[in-house]
Amino acid sequence: MSISALSYRPVDILRFNTCGSVDDGKSTLIGRLLYDSKSLMEDQIEALERSADITGGGQINLANLTDGLRAEREQGITIDVAYRYFATPRRKFIIADTPGHVQYTRNMVTGASSANLSIILVDARLGVIEQSRRHTAIAALLRIPHLVVAINKMDLVGWSEERFLEIRAQFEAFLPRLDIKDVKFIPLSALNGDNVVEPSPHTPWYAGPTLLGHLETVHIASDFNLTGFRLPVQWVNRPNSPTDATLHDFRGFSGQIAGGIVRTGQKLLAFPSGIVTTVKQIWTYDGVVHEAFCPQSVTLVLEHDIDISRGSMLVALDQLPGSSCDLQAEVCWMHTRPLQVGKKYFLKHTSHTVQVVVTELIDKLNMSTLESEPAPTALAVNDIGEIKLRAARPLVFDGYSTNRLTGSFILIEPGTNATVAAGMLRAPHDVFKPDAADYVI
Amino acid sequence: MSSYHLDHLQHLETEAIHIMREVAGEFERPALLFSGGKDSICLLRLAEKAFRPSELPLPLLNVDTGHHFPELNEFRDRRSAQLGAKLIVRTVEDAIAKGIATPAPGEVSRNRLQIPTLLAAIEEFQFDCCIGGARRDEEKARAKERFFSFRDSFGQWDPKNQRPEIWNLYNGRLNPGENMRVFPLSNWTEMDVWEYIQRERLEVPSIYFSHQRRCVRRGGQWLPVSALVPPKPSEEVCDLVVRVRTIGDIISTGCVESPAMTVADIISEIAAARVTERGSRADDKASEAAMEDRKKAGYF
Ligand SMILES: Nc1nc2c(ncn2[C@@H]2O[C@H](COP(=O)(O)OP(=O)(O)OP(=O)(O)O)[C@@H](O)[C@H]2O)c(=O)[nH]1
Ligand SMILES: [Mg+2]
């Protein structure tokens, strides 16, 4: 947007996360990826060697690069997501190394929610187990567009192609039940670095790319939707300047565009008032622009003085969202106190928080079969299910499958303020129908 | 289609602006921690981008350890004034005098003592949220941090029990006495910060650039000689052409030999660097969990 930005060479970012069961080798794999791609600095390697002398009997533990908490290093497990950043000449990468332990599934969801690609690790000795299915189901639910199944510890199964194909078949048996488009299988050893950055001499039967080769070349489509303009208002920009006449009457609505494109002169519908107005000016710190798009942060000045505040939403007239108190969503339950019908929660959606009550539990995903089981009595921690909610005020939303930003929410438990669920809204039954009589001022 | 493309800095920028505005929308009394260092310089520009043409809706807060580089404080005061922002400074010196912070016998470093000083300032002004410039790529305990990092009524971070943080939906709800630390630059690397400084043509304190300085060799690094760091007779002292890569206290910040005179020079230097920026901070070398321990106690 700024002039200086024009001369800048755009660089792609790929955000990916590791998932899979505890001890499958996720952290070791990230360590290996950083080490073999020469992304580690001398002082980081020194620190790694120092801790090997004290705790590892002289063996470097690559997992220590991301297991940054004392409790993690003591137990040799990952508790919370670690974020790492590295770049090759082809791409920038943001890695979220997430925990495999079932107790920390909420942290896996945290790390996965922003990913364009998930690497699911499987221990070649164990094959597909419940946690592999759970994490794959979560990745599918979050609609992460690309999946890599990394069949790890191939060194411990004698580099057997048969074993590789067997595990691949285990995956392919349940993948059709999930909505995942792009899946790649790679045999590797995170510990020794086979097929991570360098091709392995042990897998002459594998013709595909190394893990890094795949990460560098996989096509990444934008996560952001360029149709159906949406601006959830975060903050009303009111300078109230008594001295500066131009600022005295300035009233702008600041937010990050959550979908589509906006232009000056365009007509917008303002929720919740339902009133149509026109974009007078698109204000940014770098100057006024005539057009802005998702996910830019802007401040809109409108023609009419209507009641708009934090939590309001400005939308384009051509593609209207749903507006309803009755909601249906898939949720990932993350708290040890189970979800109960009849209980009230706060729901945060875009910049808007409302009270909701859970009215119905529709179904729950069986993690062994990945089939839905109807009418469960509760959703316990780490369960995935579909629910109905009733909100105290209407929510202006899209289905998660059309717009991640206006189709997602979190549930917060009153009192403890714990974030207890991640929710993905089903598309609205009807889009909002403006009432022709009072719709324009 | 390609004209609707953001490069990686623009992505990081819009993410950070969104977070700043969430803070303004969700908290009653937020503050922004401004030290004058490169990260908080970026934070201030992001605050301008988030809130202009209005005044910044939050004051700036700085904990002065009394061991700051003088160039840093001069810059801090000047930049705050330029922006018309309210700057609140609380000093460790004063906290010691009031008994809020108590040094251990012989304790020279102000590192630990800035924690109670900060917590007392939060208490004094009843801040419910402090925005800080910490980045996940700085250190491995920081790599575990959320954008919205919850602190209990003692200011403590509980890394084993962080709130899940999903998509860009931040849970800012607090009970009385609790506090949020918010880190809009979480996903920025050292390189991103300098590229942003270059793109936005931001001024930075002179000590980031190459200058002549008398240094003493101690603990494998070059520390600036000052009244607080007098060289011992046995130590090697040299006049060097140096700059600082990260600014901590004058007694613990290592200087690196460097000819970098411009932001562009610094960017090329970092691109070729073989050690991390924290490699020059004695406070982090103390132990593998030094940062984690300080953060649990209420540090940033
Ligand atoms: N033989 C062999 N061992 C491996 C391989 N990859 C990882 N390991 C070992 O498996 C153990 C667990 O590795 P981690 O990387 O900590 O596992 P993780 O998946 O990150 O575990 P959590 O994060 O706790 O879920 C360590 O002892 C590793 O050295 C491999 O390819 N071959
Ligand atoms: Mg791990």
Side-chain angles (χ1 to χ4, degrees):
Chain A
M1 266 181 2
S2 58
I3 314 278
S4 58
L6 294 176
S7 59
Y8 195 81
R9 182 174 58 90
V11 189
D12 265 353
I13 305 189
L14 179 77
R15 293 165 168 262
F16 68 92
N17 76 307
T18 53
C19 30
S21 189
V22 69
D23 277 351
D24 283 346
K26 298 176 290 296
S27 302
T28 307
L29 178 65
I30 297 310
R32 177 55 73 183
L33 202 55
L34 295 169
Y35 194 88
D36 286 2
S37 63
K38 313 227 164 13
S39 309
L40 292 179
M41 299 284 160
E42 281 162 14
D43 53 319
Q44 293 172 314
I45 296 173
E46 263 171 41
L48 208 57
E49 284 167 351
R50 257 200 320 274
S51 73
D53 286 337
I54 303 164
T55 54
Q59 262 273 30
I60 282 190
N61 183 355
L62 288 167
N64 273 356
L65 280 169
T66 53
D67 287 341
L69 301 174
R70 195 200 301 269
E72 294 179 320
R73 291 190 295 274
E74 274 167 16
Q75 301 172 58
I77 62 161
T78 304
I79 292 172
D80 209 335
V81 198
Y83 294 90
R84 299 289 308 218
Y85 306 81
F86 82 110
T88 67
R90 305 176 85 142
R91 239 176 213 171
K92 279 195 174 247
F93 298 95
I94 300 184
I95 313 175
D97 180 30
T98 67
H101 200 292
V102 69
Q103 190 185 340
Y104 303 118
T105 303
R106 60 178 193 274
N107 298 333
M108 178 273 172
V109 180
T110 295
S113 69
S114 58
N116 318 102
L117 178 146
S118 282
I119 304 175
I120 314 253
L121 273 89
V122 182
D123 183 329
R125 296 168 305 169
L126 307 176
V128 172
I129 53 177
E130 175 164 318
Q131 193 68 343
S132 338
R133 278 190 296 268
R134 175 178 281 114
H135 281 185
T136 311
I138 292 172
L141 198 67
L142 293 168
R143 289 197 160 65
I144 296 172
H146 307 279
L147 219 64
V148 173
V149 179
I151 301 178
N152 188 33
K153 307 198 186 181
M154 286 300 293
D155 53 309
L156 298 180
V157 295
W159 298 101
S160 157
E161 180 182 17
E162 241 181 289
R163 184 63 186 145
F164 172 74
L165 293 174
E166 207 175 350
I167 294 171
R168 179 179 172 149
Q170 288 175 354
F171 254 95
E172 284 171 341
F174 69 78
L175 281 178
R177 259 166 270 161
L178 304 169
D179 184 21
I180 301 173
K181 281 169 201 77
D182 173 39
V183 186
K184 182 124 214 134
F185 294 85
I186 304 180
L188 48 85
S189 167
L191 190 65
N192 305 321
D194 296 81
N195 290 333
V196 178
V197 172
E198 299 297 332
S200 170
H202 300 112
T203 51
W205 42 267
Y206 172 74
T210 62
L211 178 65
L212 183 64
H214 182 60
L215 297 174
E216 282 184 317
T217 51
V218 61
H219 170 76
I220 36 176
S222 170
D223 300 337
F224 302 107
N225 201 330
L226 287 177
T227 60
F229 174 73
R230 308 280 184 261
L231 185 83
V233 174
Q234 289 184 273
W235 191 69
V236 180
N237 203 324
R238 246 345 302 239
N240 271 330
S241 169
T243 47
D244 186 333
T246 51
L247 286 185
H248 188 73
D249 295 321
F250 187 95
R251 184 158 167 261
F253 303 100
S254 299
Q256 184 176 25
I257 301 175
I261 301 166
V262 67
R263 299 185 177 92
T264 18
Q266 184 176 344
K267 287 204 179 322
L268 298 179
L269 184 60
F271 282 96
S273 67
I275 293 171
V276 172
T277 177
T278 308
V279 179
K280 187 167 164 189
Q281 194 181 65
I282 305 171
W283 201 95
T284 80
Y285 178 84
D286 299 298
V288 169
V289 294
H290 294 293
E291 181 180 71
F293 57 94
C294 176
Q296 289 180 319
S297 288
V298 293
T299 297
L300 297 189
V301 180
L302 304 173
E303 288 290 355
H304 306 101
D305 227 354
I306 47 182
D307 178 5
I308 296 173
S309 56
R310 176 170 169 82
S312 299
M313 177 117 65
L314 297 164
V315 310
L317 297 180
D318 56 347
Q319 229 170 305
L320 290 171
S323 168
S324 175
C325 289
D326 290 303
L327 310 166
Q328 184 166 332
E330 295 175 286
V331 295
C332 212
W333 193 256
M334 301 188 292
H335 202 271
T336 45
R337 244 187 314 287
L339 168 97
Q340 288 164 331
V341 172
K343 185 159 172 172
K344 291 198 177 78
Y345 297 95
F346 290 112
L347 178 150
K348 185 169 181 188
H349 168 258
T350 64
S351 56
H352 186 208
T353 303
V354 286
Q355 279 214 66
V356 293
V357 58
V358 179
T359 52
E360 189 183 333
L361 282 182
I362 302 171
D363 64 25
K364 172 176 139 175
L365 200 63
N366 178 320
M367 287 299 165
S368 316
T369 61
L370 293 186
E371 307 275 2
S372 306
E373 294 173 348
T377 49
L379 283 187
V381 64
N382 305 325
D383 277 346
I384 294 172
E386 180 134 8
I387 62 170
K388 284 189 180 171
L389 299 157
R390 185 162 173 82
R393 275 177 291 135
L395 216 66
V396 179
F397 68 99
D398 296 287
Y400 183 78
S401 57
T402 32
N403 190 324
R404 265 196 191 204
L405 299 173
T406 53
S408 56
F409 65 82
I410 54 172
L411 292 180
I412 300 166
E413 186 178 60
T416 62
N417 295 328
T419 305
V420 291
M424 286 135 278
L425 288 159
R426 291 288 182 192
H429 286 300
D430 308 297
V431 298
F432 178 78
K433 290 196 191 58
D435 185 355
D438 59 8
Y439 139 95
V440 183
I441 47 173
Chain B
M1 215 58 164
S2 64
S3 62
Y4 300 120
H5 180 276
L6 296 185
D7 68 29
H8 85 282
L9 276 187
Q10 291 168 323
H11 266 287
L12 292 171
E13 179 184 74
T14 186
E15 175 181 78
I17 294 172
H18 172 256
I19 288 166
M20 292 259 182
R21 288 172 174 169
E22 281 302 282
V23 168
E26 297 240 322
F27 296 93
E28 305 265 315
R29 299 178 69 85
L32 189 150
L33 290 156
F34 180 55
S35 66
K38 64 183 186 301
D39 303 315
S40 59
I41 289 169
C42 290
L43 275 186
L44 274 192
R45 171 49 52 89
L46 291 162
E48 290 182 273
K49 294 212 177 190
F51 303 123
R52 292 297 188 217
S54 290
E55 296 295 304
L56 304 189
L58 69 190
L60 312 182
L61 172 64
N62 183 236
V63 173
D64 194 331
T65 61
H67 292 177
H68 282 179
F69 284 87
E71 294 90 339
L72 194 72
N73 283 3
E74 181 273 324
F75 178 85
R76 175 196 71 193
D77 297 344
R78 187 157 50 80
R79 186 75 186 121
S80 309
Q82 263 172 15
L83 290 171
K86 177 176 174 195
L87 173 69
I88 299 165
V89 176
R90 286 294 173 269
T91 67
V92 170
E93 216 48 72
D94 196 43
I96 293 174
K98 288 185 178 146
I100 294 165
T102 31
E107 182 174 7
V108 184
S109 163
R110 293 285 167 86
N111 221 314
R112 191 182 61 82
L113 299 172
Q114 58 183 319
I115 300 173
T117 313
L118 171 67
L119 296 180
I122 288 173
E123 179 85 29
E124 178 185 349
F125 294 95
Q126 295 287 300
F127 291 131
D128 50 2
C129 174
C130 293
I131 296 178
R135 294 178 283 112
R136 288 169 176 159
D137 90 320
E138 282 178 84
E139 205 279 335
K140 61 189 187 177
R142 289 225 194 276
K144 297 270 162 183
E145 185 88 73
R146 300 280 193 261
F147 281 102
F148 273 48
S149 181
F150 174 80
R151 303 300 162 101
D152 67 14
S153 54
F154 293 92
Q156 299 180 106
W157 181 53
D158 180 2
K160 285 173 83 169
N161 197 18
Q162 301 195 78
R163 287 181 180 174
E165 197 163 85
I166 299 146
W167 302 293
N168 62 351
L169 296 170
Y170 305 105
N171 173 359
R173 298 187 80 88
L174 297 173
N175 286 320
E178 296 169 344
N179 203 272
M180 201 65 80
R181 307 282 169 89
V182 172
F183 304 110
L185 305 182
S186 287
N187 280 333
W188 297 46
T189 62
E190 182 188 17
M191 183 61 118
D192 297 328
V193 165
W194 282 109
E195 288 185 337
Y196 195 68
I197 286 169
Q198 182 176 52
R199 181 179 289 187
E200 295 292 323
R201 299 195 179 87
L202 295 171
E203 187 192 340
V204 298
S206 57
I207 47 177
Y208 282 118
F209 298 112
S210 182
H211 58 279
Q212 188 112 32
R213 196 179 275 273
R214 175 155 296 186
C215 294
V216 52
R217 192 77 187 159
R218 194 175 288 175
Q221 38 179 7
W222 290 111
L223 290 183
V225 171
S226 66
L228 292 162
V229 184
K232 299 185 193 92
S234 61
E235 286 177 320
E236 182 188 358
V237 176
C238 276
D239 288 310
L240 300 171
V241 175
V242 294
R243 68 178 206 89
V244 299
R245 228 174 127 183
T246 168
I247 304 180
D249 275 357
I250 200 159
I251 63 166
S252 61
T253 300
C255 294
V256 290
E257 288 187 81
S258 164
M261 303 289 280
T262 64
V263 174
D265 292 345
I266 291 176
I267 289 174
S268 336
E269 187 180 288
I270 295 167
R274 292 311 306 154
V275 293
T276 66
E277 61 176 297
R278 288 267 158 182
S280 60
R281 289 274 287 264
D283 43 350
D284 291 331
K285 284 199 166 165
S287 89
E288 220 189 355
M291 175 68 84
E292 178 180 347
D293 292 342
R294 276 182 291 151
K295 283 171 63 65
K296 280 178 177 163
Y299 185 72
F300 266 83

